[in-house]
Amino acid sequence: GAVVSQHPSWVICKSGTSVKIECRSLDFQATTMFWYRQFPKQSLMLMATSNEGSKATYEQGVEKDKFLINHASLTLSTLTVTSAHPEDSSFYICSARDVGREENQPQHFGDGTRLSIL
Amino acid sequence: LAKTTQPISMDSYEGQEVNITCSHNNIATNDYITWYQQFPSQGPRFIIQGYKTKVTNEVASLFIPADRKSSTLSLPRVSLSDTAVYYCLVGAIDQGGKLIFGQGTELSVKP
C-alpha cells in the first residue's frame, strides 16, 4: 500500500532556530499533501494544504510566514517552522493520497515529527 | 466539510466485538466515510472507507445506513493492541482529499 515517510521523527532545538520537516510519498506521486499539528491529548488540526508547483493554502489562524511550505516535486513536501519558540512544540504530521491509482483512494499519513523547542 | 460526532471514550474487554458509531448529519452526496486508528506518537493509520451499505476488510467492517447520516465501525474480537484513538472522517475525494478531524473515540481494551 501507499507509504508516506516523514523525517526527522524527532527533533529538539533551541528557541529561535528554524526547523525543516520533510514529507515524502515513497511509492506514489502526490500533487497535494497536507500538514497537521497535534498537541497532547488533542485531535489533529489541519494547518495547510501543500500544492505541487504552487503556493500552499493555509487554514484560518495559521501564520504562513511562520510555517513555510514548499512542494517542489511530486514526492516531497517540506514544512519549515521559522524562528521556533516553545509554543511551537508539537507533533507534526503530513498526509498524502495516491491519485495515480483508482479513484477514491484514502489519505495515508506519515508517522509524525515530534518537535521540542527549548 | 461535514462535521462528525463520536463518543469520547469506550471501554471493552479482550475478545469482544466493539462497535463505534459516528454521526455525520450533514454528509454531502459525494462524501466518503473513512476511519483511522491512531496510537500515541504515531500518525493515523487507515482502517476502512466506504460510501454506502457495508464494507468489510481483514481488520474491520463499516456499516452505513441508507440515509448515510451515521456509520458504525465494527472491530471483531478486539485485543489489547487495539487500544487506540479511532477517528471517523467525512470528505469528498474530488476536493483533493482534505480531511478535518473531530475529537475521535479513545478505545481502551482491558484484559
Side-chain angles (χ1 to χ4, degrees):
Chain A
V3 179
V4 175
S5 174
Q6 278 185 244
H7 178 80
S9 57
W10 181 56
V11 59
I12 301 176
C13 58
K14 296 180 179 180
S15 184
T17 305
S18 291
V19 179
K20 180 184 287 187
I21 302 170
E22 294 185 348
C23 178
R24 295 182 184 273
S25 54
L26 296 186
D27 54 357
F28 65 97
Q29 294 182 331
T31 55
T32 303
M33 293 184 177
F34 300 91
W35 287 96
Y36 296 82
R37 180 168 55 179
Q38 186 176 33
F39 293 107
K41 297 294 184 180
Q42 294 187 22
S43 183
L44 283 76
M45 183 192 78
L46 179 64
M47 299 176 67
T49 302
S50 174
N51 304 300
E52 189 269 334
S54 64
K55 293 182 179 180
T57 305
Y58 291 83
E59 296 298 305
Q60 189 174 5
V62 178
E63 300 176 57
K64 63 179 181 180
D65 295 329
K66 174 74 172 179
F67 300 100
L68 300 179
I69 292 174
N70 184 277
H71 194 152
S73 78
L74 287 171
T75 59
L76 174 65
S77 174
T78 62
L79 168 68
T80 300
V81 184
T82 62
S83 187
H85 293 284
E87 58 266 28
D88 298 321
S89 298
S90 188
F91 191 51
Y92 293 86
I93 308 169
C94 70
S95 73
R97 185 170 66 91
D98 184 358
V99 297
R101 299 174 64 187
E102 63 267 22
E103 294 185 355
N104 310 326
Q105 289 298 302
Q107 288 282 334
H108 291 276
F109 289 80
D111 274 338
T113 297
R114 175 73 60 192
L115 175 61
S116 296
I117 308 299
L118 304 178
Chain B
L1 294 171
K3 180 180 177 181
T4 60
T5 303
Q6 306 172 230
I8 294 175
S9 64
M10 293 182 68
D11 291 331
S12 182
Y13 291 93
E14 283 191 290
Q16 289 187 332
E17 177 185 78
V18 171
N19 296 307
I20 306 174
T21 297
C22 177
S23 297
H24 28 80
N25 292 317
N26 297 321
I27 189 169
T29 302
N30 55 347
D31 283 345
Y32 277 74
I33 301 158
T34 312
W35 285 79
Y36 289 88
Q37 174 193 57
Q38 186 183 29
F39 298 111
S41 296
Q42 293 186 25
R45 184 175 72 95
F46 171 78
I47 301 174
I48 198 165
Q49 178 176 284
Y51 183 80
K52 61 180 179 180
T53 62
K54 176 183 176 182
V55 180
T56 298
N57 62 22
E58 62 274 10
V59 297
S61 295
L62 178 60
F63 298 92
I64 305 169
D67 66 4
R68 304 201 325 124
K69 293 183 182 298
S70 68
S71 60
T72 299
L73 174 72
S74 181
L75 303 173
R77 300 183 59 79
V78 294
S79 64
L80 296 177
S81 61
D82 292 318
T83 294
V85 178
Y86 292 82
Y87 292 99
C88 160
L89 294 103
V90 172
I93 300 299
D94 60 3
Q95 291 178 4
K98 181 176 178 178
L99 297 174
I100 303 298
F101 280 75
Q103 62 184 11
T105 298
E106 188 170 7
L107 173 66
S108 178
V109 180
K110 303 175 182 179

